[in-house]
Amino acid sequence: MAIWDWLKEIPIIDDVADALDMFTEFLPEADSVAVPVGDYAELRESMYWTIGENGVDTRQQLLIDFSLEPVSLGDNGHVAVGFWRDPHTGFESNDPSDFDVDHRVPFREIADQFPQLYELPKDEQLAIYNDVENLCVVHDVHNLEKGDDLPAKHALEITDVDARREFLRKCADYLGLLRERLG
Protein backbone atom coordinates (compact mmCIF):
# COMPACT_ATOMS: atom_id res chain seq x y z
CA MET A 1 0.00 0.00 0.00
CA ALA A 2 1.44 3.36 -1.03
CA ILE A 3 1.84 6.03 1.64
CA TRP A 4 -0.85 8.19 -0.02
CA ASP A 5 -3.35 5.34 0.09
CA TRP A 6 -2.52 4.78 3.73
CA LEU A 7 -2.90 8.49 4.55
CA LYS A 8 -6.28 8.61 2.80
CA GLU A 9 -7.53 6.07 5.35
CA ILE A 10 -7.48 8.96 7.86
CA PRO A 11 -10.91 10.66 7.50
CA ILE A 12 -9.68 14.26 7.57
CA ILE A 13 -6.97 13.51 4.99
CA ASP A 14 -9.55 11.79 2.80
CA ASP A 15 -11.85 14.84 3.07
CA VAL A 16 -9.00 17.18 2.11
CA ALA A 17 -8.08 14.96 -0.85
CA ASP A 18 -11.73 14.96 -1.97
CA ALA A 19 -11.84 18.76 -1.67
CA LEU A 20 -8.72 19.18 -3.77
CA ASP A 21 -9.97 16.70 -6.37
CA MET A 22 -13.26 18.60 -6.60
CA PHE A 23 -11.47 21.80 -7.58
CA THR A 24 -9.00 20.27 -10.04
CA GLU A 25 -11.31 20.83 -13.00
CA PHE A 26 -11.73 24.50 -12.10
CA LEU A 27 -8.07 25.39 -11.68
CA PRO A 28 -6.77 27.71 -14.38
CA GLU A 29 -4.44 26.31 -17.01
CA ALA A 30 -0.77 27.17 -16.63
CA ASP A 31 -0.93 29.53 -19.60
CA SER A 32 -4.04 31.38 -18.37
CA VAL A 33 -4.10 35.14 -18.50
CA ALA A 34 -3.53 36.82 -15.15
CA VAL A 35 -5.80 39.71 -14.27
CA PRO A 36 -3.88 42.94 -13.77
CA VAL A 37 -3.72 43.83 -10.08
CA GLY A 38 -4.68 47.44 -10.80
CA ASP A 39 -7.97 46.34 -12.36
CA TYR A 40 -8.80 44.17 -9.36
CA ALA A 41 -7.94 46.90 -6.85
CA GLU A 42 -10.08 49.44 -8.69
CA LEU A 43 -13.05 47.11 -8.88
CA ARG A 44 -12.63 45.97 -5.26
CA GLU A 45 -12.79 49.58 -4.07
CA SER A 46 -16.09 50.11 -5.87
CA MET A 47 -17.87 46.98 -4.56
CA TYR A 48 -21.31 47.60 -3.19
CA TRP A 49 -24.39 45.69 -2.16
CA THR A 50 -27.03 45.87 -4.85
CA ILE A 51 -30.61 46.82 -4.08
CA GLY A 52 -33.16 44.19 -5.04
CA GLU A 53 -36.62 44.70 -6.51
CA ASN A 54 -38.01 44.78 -2.97
CA GLY A 55 -35.76 47.76 -2.07
CA VAL A 56 -33.65 45.68 0.34
CA ASP A 57 -29.89 45.53 -0.18
CA THR A 58 -28.14 42.20 -0.61
CA ARG A 59 -26.67 42.11 2.91
CA GLN A 60 -30.02 42.75 4.59
CA GLN A 61 -31.77 40.20 2.37
CA LEU A 62 -29.22 37.52 3.17
CA LEU A 63 -29.45 38.24 6.89
CA ILE A 64 -33.22 37.74 6.54
CA ASP A 65 -32.83 34.58 4.45
CA PHE A 66 -30.15 32.95 6.60
CA SER A 67 -31.71 33.73 9.99
CA LEU A 68 -32.90 30.62 11.77
CA GLU A 69 -35.67 32.66 13.41
CA PRO A 70 -37.87 35.47 12.11
CA VAL A 71 -35.98 38.78 12.09
CA SER A 72 -36.97 42.13 13.55
CA LEU A 73 -36.21 45.30 11.62
CA GLY A 74 -34.95 48.51 13.20
CA ASP A 75 -36.25 52.00 12.50
CA ASN A 76 -33.79 52.28 9.61
CA GLY A 77 -35.31 49.21 7.93
CA HIS A 78 -32.18 47.13 8.57
CA VAL A 79 -32.21 43.81 10.37
CA ALA A 80 -31.90 44.49 14.10
CA VAL A 81 -32.34 41.00 15.57
CA GLY A 82 -32.50 37.45 14.26
CA PHE A 83 -30.60 34.26 14.99
CA TRP A 84 -27.67 33.05 12.90
CA ARG A 85 -25.24 30.16 13.09
CA ASP A 86 -21.96 30.26 11.19
CA PRO A 87 -21.95 26.95 9.29
CA HIS A 88 -18.14 26.91 9.33
CA THR A 89 -17.47 27.49 13.03
CA GLY A 90 -20.80 26.87 14.76
CA PHE A 91 -20.73 30.40 16.26
CA GLU A 92 -24.27 31.54 17.14
CA SER A 93 -25.67 34.99 17.88
CA ASN A 94 -28.82 37.06 17.55
CA ASP A 95 -26.84 40.23 16.74
CA PRO A 96 -26.49 40.85 12.98
CA SER A 97 -23.35 42.92 13.57
CA ASP A 98 -21.59 39.67 14.59
CA PHE A 99 -21.92 38.43 11.02
CA ASP A 100 -20.53 39.29 7.61
CA VAL A 101 -21.88 38.39 4.23
CA ASP A 102 -18.99 36.55 2.62
CA HIS A 103 -18.12 35.46 -0.88
CA ARG A 104 -17.55 31.71 -1.04
CA VAL A 105 -15.35 32.12 -4.10
CA PRO A 106 -13.31 35.32 -3.73
CA PHE A 107 -13.24 37.83 -6.56
CA ARG A 108 -9.53 37.21 -7.20
CA GLU A 109 -10.31 33.54 -7.93
CA ILE A 110 -13.22 34.44 -10.19
CA ALA A 111 -11.14 37.00 -12.07
CA ASP A 112 -8.18 34.60 -12.41
CA GLN A 113 -10.36 31.91 -13.93
CA PHE A 114 -12.52 34.23 -16.03
CA PRO A 115 -10.38 37.19 -17.18
CA GLN A 116 -13.06 38.03 -19.76
CA LEU A 117 -15.00 39.40 -16.79
CA TYR A 118 -13.12 42.68 -17.28
CA GLU A 119 -14.66 43.06 -20.73
CA LEU A 120 -18.12 43.37 -19.17
CA PRO A 121 -19.60 46.64 -17.90
CA LYS A 122 -18.81 47.25 -14.22
CA ASP A 123 -22.42 46.68 -13.10
CA GLU A 124 -22.36 43.22 -14.73
CA GLN A 125 -19.01 42.45 -13.07
CA LEU A 126 -20.49 43.39 -9.70
CA ALA A 127 -23.63 41.36 -10.36
CA ILE A 128 -21.47 38.29 -10.98
CA TYR A 129 -19.27 38.91 -7.95
CA ASN A 130 -22.20 39.64 -5.65
CA ASP A 131 -24.46 36.88 -7.00
CA VAL A 132 -26.39 35.42 -4.05
CA GLU A 133 -25.33 31.95 -5.24
CA ASN A 134 -21.79 32.95 -4.18
CA LEU A 135 -22.70 34.52 -0.83
CA CYS A 136 -23.18 33.20 2.69
CA VAL A 137 -23.52 34.60 6.21
CA VAL A 138 -20.53 33.87 8.47
CA HIS A 139 -19.14 35.06 11.79
CA ASP A 140 -17.29 38.32 11.17
CA VAL A 141 -14.20 37.25 13.15
CA HIS A 142 -13.95 34.04 11.12
CA ASN A 143 -14.37 35.99 7.90
CA LEU A 144 -11.52 38.36 8.79
CA GLU A 145 -9.26 35.47 9.78
CA LYS A 146 -9.70 33.61 6.52
CA GLY A 147 -9.26 36.70 4.35
CA ASP A 148 -9.47 35.92 0.64
CA ASP A 149 -8.23 32.33 0.92
CA LEU A 150 -9.03 30.12 -2.01
CA PRO A 151 -12.01 27.85 -1.33
CA ALA A 152 -9.96 24.64 -1.06
CA LYS A 153 -7.64 26.23 1.52
CA HIS A 154 -10.52 27.77 3.46
CA ALA A 155 -12.35 24.43 3.49
CA LEU A 156 -9.53 22.96 5.57
CA GLU A 157 -10.54 25.31 8.40
CA ILE A 158 -14.19 24.19 8.44
CA THR A 159 -14.37 21.67 11.24
CA ASP A 160 -17.84 20.25 10.53
CA VAL A 161 -17.41 17.65 7.77
CA ASP A 162 -20.93 18.14 6.37
CA ALA A 163 -20.50 21.94 6.36
CA ARG A 164 -17.13 21.53 4.62
CA ARG A 165 -18.62 19.33 1.89
CA GLU A 166 -21.58 21.68 1.44
CA PHE A 167 -19.24 24.69 1.18
CA LEU A 168 -17.09 22.96 -1.44
CA ARG A 169 -20.14 21.76 -3.37
CA LYS A 170 -21.57 25.29 -3.49
CA CYS A 171 -18.20 26.71 -4.59
CA ALA A 172 -17.92 24.13 -7.36
CA ASP A 173 -21.53 24.71 -8.40
CA TYR A 174 -20.94 28.47 -8.60
CA LEU A 175 -17.76 28.07 -10.65
CA GLY A 176 -19.67 25.72 -12.95
CA LEU A 177 -22.44 28.30 -13.29
CA LEU A 178 -19.87 30.95 -14.20
CA ARG A 179 -18.27 28.58 -16.71
CA GLU A 180 -21.68 28.24 -18.40
CA ARG A 181 -22.31 32.02 -18.33
CA LEU A 182 -18.86 33.21 -19.32
CA GLY A 183 -17.59 30.28 -21.37
Side-chain angles (χ1 to χ4, degrees):
M1 176 183 285
I3 188 76
W4 180 243
D5 293 328
W6 180 80
L7 285 171
K8 284 182 69 175
E9 295 295 318
I10 302 169
I12 188 75
I13 301 292
D14 187 47
D15 289 341
V16 170
D18 290 345
L20 294 173
D21 288 344
M22 182 182 293
F23 278 96
T24 301
E25 70 180 280
F26 296 107
L27 293 176
E29 298 296 324
D31 61 346
S32 67
V33 178
V35 176
V37 173
D39 291 347
Y40 169 75
E42 178 184 323
L43 183 62
R44 183 74 176 103
E45 288 302 312
S46 67
M47 294 292 171
Y48 63 91
W49 294 121
T50 56
I51 306 296
E53 292 176 14
N54 60 359
V56 177
D57 74 43
T58 308
R59 174 182 164 71
Q60 298 304 310
Q61 188 61 55
L62 287 167
L63 286 170
I64 293 167
D65 293 346
F66 279 79
S67 181
L68 301 173
E69 296 177 359
V71 300
S72 297
L73 302 179
D75 293 338
N76 62 0
H78 287 190
V79 175
V81 177
F83 184 75
W84 299 270
R85 178 180 299 116
D86 182 331
H88 303 168
T89 65
F91 175 82
E92 297 177 339
S93 175
N94 65 351
D95 183 351
S97 69
D98 287 338
F99 293 89
D100 284 343
V101 171
D102 185 33
H103 299 87
R104 289 184 182 98
V105 181
F107 185 79
R108 170 75 66 191
E109 178 73 5
I110 294 169
D112 284 349
Q113 291 193 38
F114 304 99
Q116 65 272 33
L117 182 72
Y118 286 108
E119 297 169 13
L120 300 173
K122 188 171 282 191
D123 62 330
E124 289 181 41
Q125 293 176 36
L126 292 170
I128 289 169
Y129 180 60
N130 289 328
D131 186 327
V132 294
E133 296 299 319
N134 189 35
L135 300 173
C136 58
V137 175
V138 296
H139 184 216
D140 57 353
V141 172
H142 170 68
N143 189 34
L144 290 173
E145 288 172 352
K146 78 167 193 57
D148 65 350
D149 285 347
L150 296 179
K153 181 179 179 196
H154 172 60
L156 298 174
E157 300 168 3
I158 301 172
T159 55
D160 181 274
V161 174
D162 291 334
R164 180 184 315 127
R165 286 186 179 137
E166 180 69 5
F167 171 79
L168 290 169
R169 184 191 63 75
K170 287 184 176 184
C171 290
D173 288 351
Y174 187 65
L175 289 170
L177 181 68
L178 287 181
R179 191 168 308 287
E180 288 175 19
R181 285 185 192 166
L182 300 173

